Amino acid sequence: DTIMAARGTWLVLLTVWALLMEVIAHGLHKTGTGLSSSEHQARNKRFLIDRDRHVEVKYFLHTRETGGTPTVLMTNTPDLSGTVYQSTRPTKFIVHGFLNAGDQEWIVNMATALLQAEDLNVFSVDWEEGASPGLTGKNYRQAQWNTRAVGRSVAEVV
């Protein structure tokens, strides 16, 4: 049951990841809202989105060798030398969403279930500060915009 739940959640994460990559691949100015570019810019100004905001991303590397204590990599583009990462193993990424963090219990459980099924490198991506810029609708829009920076960071790791 745990493995099936992890697979279902993993499918949702892959879908979100694919959508994120599509947004990046087709240009960050695409809105999907039917608004013109100038209308979209005016709308974003109302919500005070900081497009140049730096989003701190850290990575937790889970492997069978690390057991329940992942290796914490504290930079947006981590150096994997000196870690138990092995390029010969398949690598999976788990990315949380709005108002969440990369060390949540559900993420640890998912990483554990994946590692029970297969010998992998599993990275949980923590962008908590960018995912939780506040609790208002305005700040949800900022978190939404921050996903672009997170996607770029993960793309550099991949």
Side-chain angles (χ1 to χ4, degrees):
D1 287 335
T2 302
I3 291 175
M4 290 306 292
R7 285 183 182 159
T9 305
W10 185 244
L11 180 60
V12 169
L13 290 173
L14 286 175
T15 303
V16 170
W17 176 256
L19 290 171
L20 179 60
M21 290 297 100
E22 184 177 334
V23 166
I24 291 171
H26 289 93
L28 300 179
H29 66 282
K30 303 282 185 185
T31 66
T33 62
L35 298 175
S36 71
S37 181
S38 61
E39 290 171 325
H40 184 66
Q41 289 172 357
R43 180 178 172 193
N44 282 343
K45 285 180 184 175
R46 279 199 328 250
F47 288 105
L48 303 176
I49 293 174
D50 180 359
R51 293 173 184 237
D52 298 320
R53 181 180 177 162
H54 173 75
V55 178
E56 192 64 37
V57 180
K58 64 182 167 182
Y59 296 84
F60 296 93
L61 172 59
H62 304 261
T63 64
R64 288 181 174 174
E65 292 87 0
T66 62
T69 308
T71 303
V72 181
L73 305 164
M74 297 294 291
T75 178
N76 285 28
T77 53
D79 178 11
L80 298 175
S81 62
T83 69
V84 295
Y85 172 83
Q86 291 182 19
S87 61
T88 56
R89 291 191 288 226
T91 300
K92 308 291 183 190
F93 289 84
I94 303 170
V95 184
H96 66 81
F98 184 56
L99 299 179
N100 221 318
D103 59 353
Q104 297 287 305
E105 183 179 359
W106 71 267
I107 292 176
V108 174
N109 291 343
M110 181 183 291
T112 301
L114 288 166
L115 291 169
Q116 287 174 350
E118 189 177 355
D119 188 20
L120 304 165
N121 301 300
V122 179
F123 287 97
S124 58
V125 181
D126 185 10
W127 60 291
E128 179 179 14
E129 183 181 318
S132 306
L135 299 176
T136 67
K138 174 176 76 174
N139 292 327
Y140 175 79
R141 294 277 295 152
Q142 181 67 55
Q144 183 182 28
W145 185 261
N146 291 344
T147 61
R148 292 157 174 82
V150 175
R152 283 190 297 274
S153 176
V154 173
E156 288 180 25
V157 174
V158 172

